[in-house]
Amino acid sequence: MSDPVLARLQADREGIVARLVEYASAPSVSTDPAYLDGMKAARDILKARLQTAGFDAVQELEAGGHPAVYAEWLDAPDAPTFIVYGHYDVQPPDPLELWKSPPFSPEIRDGRLFGRGVSDDKGPVSIAIETLATFLAVEGRLPVNVRLLIEGEEEVGSATLGAILEKHRGLLSADAVISADGARWRADLASINTGSRGNMRLEIALRTAAKDLHSGRFGGAVRNALHEMAALLSSLHHPDGSIAIEGYTHDVAPLDDAERARIVALPFDEADFFKAIGASAHGEPGYPALEQLWHRPTIEVNGMWGGYQGAGSKTVTPAESFAKLTTRLAPGQDPARAGELIEEHLRRHCPDGVELSIDRSDSGTAAYTLPAGHPLLAAAEQALEIALGTAPVRVRTGGTLPLSDIVRRVLGLDTIMMSFSTADEDFHAPNEFFRLSAIDDGVKTWVAFLRLLANQTPENYAPFKQSR
Amino acid sequence: MSDPVLARLQADREGIVARLVEYASAPSVSTDPAYLDGMKAARDILKARLQTAGFDAVQELEAGGHPAVYAEWLDAPDAPTFIVYGHYDVQPPDPLELWKSPPFSPEIRDGRLFGRGVSDDKGPVSIAIETLATFLAVEGRLPVNVRLLIEGEEEVGSATLGAILEKHRGLLSADAVISADGARWRADLASINTGSRGNMRLEIALRTAAKDLHSGRFGGAVRNALHEMAALLSSLHHPDGSIAIEGYTHDVAPLDDAERARIVALPFDEADFFKAIGASAHGEPGYPALEQLWHRPTIEVNGMWGGYQGAGSKTVTPAESFAKLTTRLAPGQDPARAGELIEEHLRRHCPDGVELSIDRSDSGTAAYTLPAGHPLLAAAEQALEIALGTAPVRVRTGGTLPLSDIVRRVLGLDTIMMSFSTADEDFHAPNEFFRLSAIDDGVKTWVAFLRLLANQTPENYAPFKQSR
């Protein structure tokens, strides 16, 4: 006997896709002020949809940055209350010339929707909203209490999310958080995500002279800011790819033998993994790729530039150079301490005659791990098995969900990731896509998940909630 | 008793400056196709000026690249014939935001004219043209035969100058070349430039994956194209600044003790030199700055980029990175051999898993040295002493004049540099300027120089001319 809510969702698949296309057409790039109109457009679409669906208290919550969209439905007095989280902001679309269709005019090709943000995180959020809206339409109620929180700063480290939670603690009282962000590990394997790496970003600038110099008049007798940047950045890693910063991995929580054996036993073909992205394995010797990605930290240069980049050549000895860096932090690492160690290393390796500026204003996000006995984990595993016909494996992500760290710190709540994007969908790269089949898996799972959660009570969550 | 030609030039100083301002307003950037109109505008200004002055055969000479402007006056049958050389193209103006006044709206401040190309090479060329025009206006003739050749590709390595010389050998029959490009060493010391370093450019690109990757999903387990570029570029130099490419300095002509002692004895304060540009000394240990700049080679990264450069951050593991390099070549080095050595080094230092592309299509320019006994040298030294009241010292430039190498190879002629720009005038950088006092020194010297050359005959030059 089919579930009436699920049946309605399945019957309306075209409508779901059409509404996602409209939502993903809003160019909501949070990092670049040029896209402020796109940010507002995305919020307006969300608010209209939530109003129409019958949510209460639809509003924007704001604390000095991009506002979050909030809505609630709280008419299940004995059921637990969940914050359902997602984000409406997306990564910048550049390099634009590499997109096969325009990033903000989503296009379906071969069962995939291509466009910036469709996978991260507009598709997965749409699945959650469509499911909740259909419960309200078909049954006039939700199985549990829900506070929807769709933030606008996930792609810039959730800069003011902590402040929003602080400011609106009353509105955000809940038992746990269900995140529609976080990404499935693979398309071919049911999995549940139990943790993420942290991150922290910094920018560095070098100056070697008062101004750019003519390479003929001065070249060979003065420092070149690009040579210095190359030397400084290459000091961060050993040739084998391991991090060369003293003490950097000291606080990383060691993996116990059982967990390491469990990871090694996961169905995962390293050769295929690297082949799919046209890359070769590179990293700390002795660490299998999955352990490297889930349990070891990185320091990555995300952008590096200086001197002349135009057509032809320019015989200049550049006086300035720049780099943007981010790190992924492993469980056990403190973001502030990691930043200190990087800064100390850079200052120690910067020679006399080179002026080094470091912007370390980002306070970063620690890695997160969902406790193994948490009630959300059992319900999520069961829902996935009901929906997909196979028991999910427990995995982590090498990415970062600032949310889980922030809600743990501010609200004392744990987070489960219930996202239906997949890790290979080129988010943060050109030609980001979202498998439309994820909508089918997603609505099935969300319907089952919400019905299972209705069997739990707030008391089930009490042992895992921390007061700050 | 004042020279009537010089008197007329001195009386018309305002006119000379006004015509230079008009000429320098043409944005003749040769390296960027966006400036093709500016290139044409500069040629049109030159041709109109030369027609009006009474030159014959005013025309454009072209061999597939930017045309050169040519004009001649050949009515001095017993006197030698000189190619008077300059260039009308200029460096790109960026970074635009660092200019105090717009680069192509020249502005006088404190006795200096600020604008792109005013010093390199529009001011010095204007001095030569104004002097020749005034001889024609006052005396109805020039003291010697002159073939003016103002090329449009000096800032891109004089790409088709050799082809132009080949194609128009008949038009360019001469005894030697006087270059209005090359720059005086300093404003406070009379000098004559007897040689230049060569150069050669190449571009490199790295690829580490089929596409940019999410730094959370893949970071730490794959190569990052920016890390690889940093490591590769930093392998080019030792930490002390010396070149780390095996065999690279092997062919550099050693300096004899007398010449080294002469250079060391030149009035030159290294500390002041570096202080003026806000930089510190850096280079091969054991080489004084002047020897480093005049007699030692460089490899310089002029531009380096990859990944995200926009506002905020982007957590990407870039798959591509790029660099533009040029080298300055010392006397003795062959450009092709230098290119081979650089390529071999880069390929040897590029690890497996990194795809390295090298564009080495530039054939480069060898260093040049004017023979010590050349008749142009004696006349130039005497003219400078007459005009400036002090005997010039012999110096070199660390820059490159492709012309001297090319005319030596194609036409078998030597070149003297008779320029009145000065090495500190920020050519190739924002806020390029030209001292207006250089116009006074310049016209005095050019008048004396041309009168002295009238006393020489083609036979004086025969021993120095080479047939190819």
Side-chain angles (χ1 to χ4, degrees):
Chain A
M1 196 183 76
S2 98
D3 185 304
V5 172
L6 180 57
R8 176 79 71 91
L9 282 160
Q10 289 170 331
D12 189 30
R13 190 171 185 274
E14 273 186 37
I16 294 174
V17 172
R19 287 185 290 274
L20 170 55
V21 166
E22 184 210 356
Y23 179 34
S25 299
S28 46
V29 178
S30 51
T31 199
D32 187 342
Y35 289 94
L36 275 175
D37 287 350
M39 293 291 288
K40 179 172 184 305
R43 286 195 300 275
D44 288 345
I45 291 167
L46 280 175
K47 286 188 295 180
R49 178 99 187 92
L50 296 170
Q51 296 271 18
T52 306
F55 274 88
D56 302 318
V58 177
Q59 61 189 287
E60 297 188 2
L61 307 185
E62 177 273 329
H66 295 296
V69 172
Y70 174 87
E72 65 185 29
W73 186 93
L74 304 173
D75 295 333
D78 300 325
T81 302
F82 301 100
I83 294 172
V84 172
Y85 165 88
H87 62 89
Y88 66 86
D89 63 324
V90 303
Q91 282 276 314
D94 61 283
L96 282 170
E97 67 277 12
L98 297 186
W99 284 80
K100 291 192 190 100
S101 55
F104 297 111
S105 299
E107 185 178 294
I108 296 172
R109 299 194 293 273
D110 295 332
R112 296 170 172 199
L113 182 66
F114 288 83
R116 171 55 83 225
V118 291
S119 173
D120 181 14
D121 180 34
K122 288 176 173 174
V125 162
S126 293
I127 290 170
I129 291 176
E130 295 286 350
T131 304
L132 294 167
T134 306
F135 265 106
L136 289 172
V138 173
E139 305 193 341
R141 63 184 312 281
L142 300 182
V144 295
N145 300 298
V146 167
R147 298 178 184 277
L148 263 170
L149 181 70
I150 316 295
E151 73 151 319
E153 300 187 318
E154 199 278 338
E155 300 297 359
V156 289
S158 297
T160 66
L161 180 62
I164 288 172
L165 300 186
E166 294 274 10
K167 191 170 163 187
H168 301 282
R169 296 175 77 88
L171 267 187
L172 293 164
S173 157
D175 295 302
V177 179
I178 302 167
S179 171
D181 189 30
R184 294 185 293 179
W185 185 30
R186 309 207 310 240
D188 65 345
L189 187 74
S191 60
I192 187 84
N193 198 331
T194 64
S196 55
R197 289 192 288 190
N199 73 5
M200 199 261 309
R201 66 187 148 76
L202 67 166
E203 294 195 23
I204 63 180
L206 298 183
R207 176 173 283 283
T208 51
K211 56 195 174 187
D212 283 355
L213 300 169
H214 184 292
S215 77
R217 307 294 164 190
F218 300 99
V222 294
R223 292 187 185 271
N224 174 320
L226 303 187
H227 300 185
E228 301 301 333
M229 184 60 85
L232 193 59
L233 295 180
S234 69
S235 78
L236 293 170
H237 296 86
H238 296 298
D240 60 20
S242 59
I243 293 171
I245 297 175
E246 215 181 301
Y248 194 73
T249 59
H250 187 268
D251 297 331
V252 173
L255 216 54
D256 67 37
D257 290 348
E259 181 63 6
R260 179 170 290 127
R262 200 188 63 75
I263 292 175
V264 169
L266 286 171
F268 176 72
D269 186 317
E270 284 204 12
D272 281 354
F273 174 77
F274 291 115
K275 198 179 158 193
I277 53 170
S280 51
H282 187 62
E284 289 174 281
Y287 288 90
L290 286 186
E291 185 174 348
Q292 185 83 54
L293 290 169
W294 294 348
H295 293 276
R296 301 294 298 175
T298 70
I299 298 173
E300 294 257 17
V301 183
N302 309 116
M304 166 177 92
W305 69 99
Y308 183 67
Q309 303 182 23
S313 68
K314 186 177 178 193
T315 48
V316 66
T317 300
E320 294 179 292
S321 55
F322 305 90
K324 286 176 188 275
L325 282 73
T326 52
T327 171
R328 297 290 172 177
L329 300 170
Q333 286 188 293
D334 172 51
R337 177 68 184 143
E340 274 167 29
L341 288 168
I342 295 171
E343 174 157 3
E344 279 166 22
H345 174 97
L346 291 171
R347 298 217 178 274
R348 199 163 53 243
H349 283 77
C350 185
D352 290 344
V354 181
E355 192 184 310
L356 166 62
S357 311
I358 302 178
D359 176 350
R360 204 148 74 66
S361 55
D362 175 38
S363 58
T365 298
Y368 174 76
T369 301
L370 179 69
H374 196 276
L376 270 183
L377 184 54
E381 289 181 326
Q382 205 181 334
L384 281 162
E385 187 160 2
I386 291 168
L388 309 177
T390 171
V393 296
R394 291 186 186 183
V395 301
R396 295 179 60 91
T397 173
T400 302
L401 208 65
L403 167 85
S404 13
D405 181 48
I406 294 169
V407 294
R408 187 80 190 150
R409 278 191 287 113
V410 180
L411 304 177
L413 303 181
D414 280 301
T415 300
I416 195 158
M417 298 180 212
M418 182 54 78
S419 165
F420 285 84
S421 69
T422 312
D424 65 353
E425 292 178 333
D426 289 338
F427 26 97
H428 298 214
N431 302 305
E432 175 174 350
F433 68 93
F434 186 56
R435 289 175 173 83
L436 294 179
S437 62
I439 294 174
D440 308 318
D441 293 348
V443 296
K444 268 191 227 168
T445 308
W446 272 88
V447 168
F449 188 39
L450 292 168
R451 293 205 189 281
L452 287 166
L453 292 177
N455 301 330
Q456 299 183 348
T457 65
E459 287 66 41
N460 295 122
Y461 290 84
F464 296 94
K465 290 174 69 174
Q466 292 177 348
S467 55
R468 194 170 52 154
Chain B
M1 195 183 76
S2 98
D3 185 304
V5 172
L6 181 58
R8 178 77 72 91
L9 282 160
Q10 289 171 330
D12 190 31
R13 189 170 184 274
E14 273 186 36
I16 294 173
V17 172
R19 286 185 291 274
L20 170 55
V21 166
E22 184 208 356
Y23 179 35
S25 299
S28 47
V29 178
S30 51
T31 200
D32 187 343
Y35 289 95
L36 276 175
D37 287 349
M39 293 292 287
K40 181 173 182 303
R43 287 195 299 276
D44 289 345
I45 291 168
L46 280 174
K47 287 189 293 180
R49 177 96 187 94
L50 296 170
Q51 296 272 18
T52 306
F55 274 88
D56 302 318
V58 177
Q59 61 190 284
E60 296 188 1
L61 306 184
E62 177 272 328
H66 295 295
V69 171
Y70 174 87
E72 64 184 31
W73 186 93
L74 302 172
D75 296 333
D78 299 324
T81 302
F82 300 100
I83 294 171
V84 172
Y85 165 88
H87 62 90
Y88 67 86
D89 64 324
V90 303
Q91 284 276 314
D94 61 282
L96 283 170
E97 68 277 13
L98 296 187
W99 285 80
K100 289 190 194 106
S101 54
F104 297 111
S105 300
E107 185 177 295
I108 297 172
R109 299 195 294 273
D110 296 331
R112 297 170 171 198
L113 182 66
F114 287 83
R116 171 54 83 224
V118 292
S119 172
D120 183 15
D121 179 34
K122 287 176 173 173
V125 162
S126 294
I127 290 171
I129 290 176
E130 296 286 351
T131 304
L132 294 166
T134 306
F135 265 108
L136 289 171
V138 172
E139 303 191 341
R141 66 186 307 282
L142 301 182
V144 295
N145 299 298
V146 167
R147 297 178 184 280
L148 264 170
L149 181 71
I150 316 294
E151 73 151 320
E153 301 188 318
E154 201 277 338
E155 301 296 359
V156 289
S158 296
T160 66
L161 181 62
I164 287 173
L165 300 185
E166 294 274 11
K167 191 171 164 188
H168 301 283
R169 295 176 77 86
L171 268 188
L172 294 165
S173 159
D175 295 302
V177 178
I178 302 167
S179 170
D181 189 30
R184 294 185 291 178
W185 185 31
R186 307 210 311 243
D188 63 345
L189 187 74
S191 61
I192 187 85
N193 198 330
T194 64
S196 55
R197 287 193 289 190
N199 72 4
M200 200 260 309
R201 65 187 150 76
L202 67 165
E203 294 195 24
I204 63 181
L206 299 183
R207 176 173 283 285
T208 51
K211 57 195 174 187
D212 283 354
L213 300 169
H214 184 291
S215 78
R217 306 296 165 190
F218 300 99
V222 295
R223 292 186 185 273
N224 174 319
L226 304 187
H227 301 184
E228 300 301 333
M229 183 61 85
L232 194 59
L233 295 180
S234 69
S235 78
L236 294 170
H237 296 86
H238 296 299
D240 60 20
S242 59
I243 294 171
I245 297 175
E246 214 181 303
Y248 194 73
T249 58
H250 186 267
D251 297 331
V252 173
L255 215 55
D256 67 37
D257 289 348
E259 181 63 7
R260 179 170 289 125
R262 198 187 66 73
I263 292 173
V264 169
L266 286 172
F268 175 73
D269 186 318
E270 285 203 11
D272 282 355
F273 174 77
F274 291 115
K275 196 179 161 195
I277 53 172
S280 51
H282 187 62
E284 289 174 281
Y287 289 89
L290 285 186
E291 185 174 349
Q292 186 83 53
L293 291 168
W294 294 350
H295 293 275
R296 301 295 297 176
T298 69
I299 298 173
E300 294 257 16
V301 183
N302 310 115
M304 167 177 92
W305 68 100
Y308 183 66
Q309 303 181 23
S313 68
K314 186 177 178 194
T315 48
V316 65
T317 299
E320 293 180 292
S321 55
F322 305 90
K324 288 177 186 274
L325 281 73
T326 51
T327 170
R328 298 288 173 177
L329 301 169
Q333 286 188 292
D334 173 50
R337 178 68 184 141
E340 275 167 29
L341 289 168
I342 295 171
E343 176 158 1
E344 280 167 21
H345 174 97
L346 292 171
R347 298 219 177 273
R348 198 162 53 242
H349 283 76
C350 185
D352 290 345
V354 182
E355 192 184 308
L356 165 64
S357 311
I358 303 180
D359 177 349
R360 204 148 73 68
S361 55
D362 175 39
S363 56
T365 298
Y368 174 76
T369 302
L370 178 69
H374 196 277
L376 270 184
L377 184 54
E381 290 183 323
Q382 204 180 334
L384 282 162
E385 187 161 1
I386 290 168
L388 309 178
T390 171
V393 295
R394 290 185 186 183
V395 300
R396 293 179 62 90
T397 172
T400 303
L401 207 65
L403 167 87
S404 15
D405 182 50
I406 294 169
V407 296
R408 186 81 191 153
R409 279 192 286 110
V410 179
L411 303 177
L413 303 181
D414 280 302
T415 300
I416 196 158
M417 298 180 212
M418 181 56 77
S419 165
F420 286 84
S421 69
T422 311
D424 64 353
E425 293 178 335
D426 289 337
F427 25 99
H428 298 214
N431 302 307
E432 176 176 350
F433 68 93
F434 186 54
R435 290 177 173 81
L436 294 180
S437 61
I439 295 175
D440 307 318
D441 293 347
V443 296
K444 268 191 227 169
T445 307
W446 271 87
V447 169
F449 188 38
L450 291 169
R451 293 206 188 281
L452 287 165
L453 293 177
N455 299 329
Q456 298 183 349
T457 67
E459 287 67 41
N460 296 123
Y461 289 84
F464 296 94
K465 290 174 69 174
Q466 293 177 348
S467 56
R468 194 169 55 153

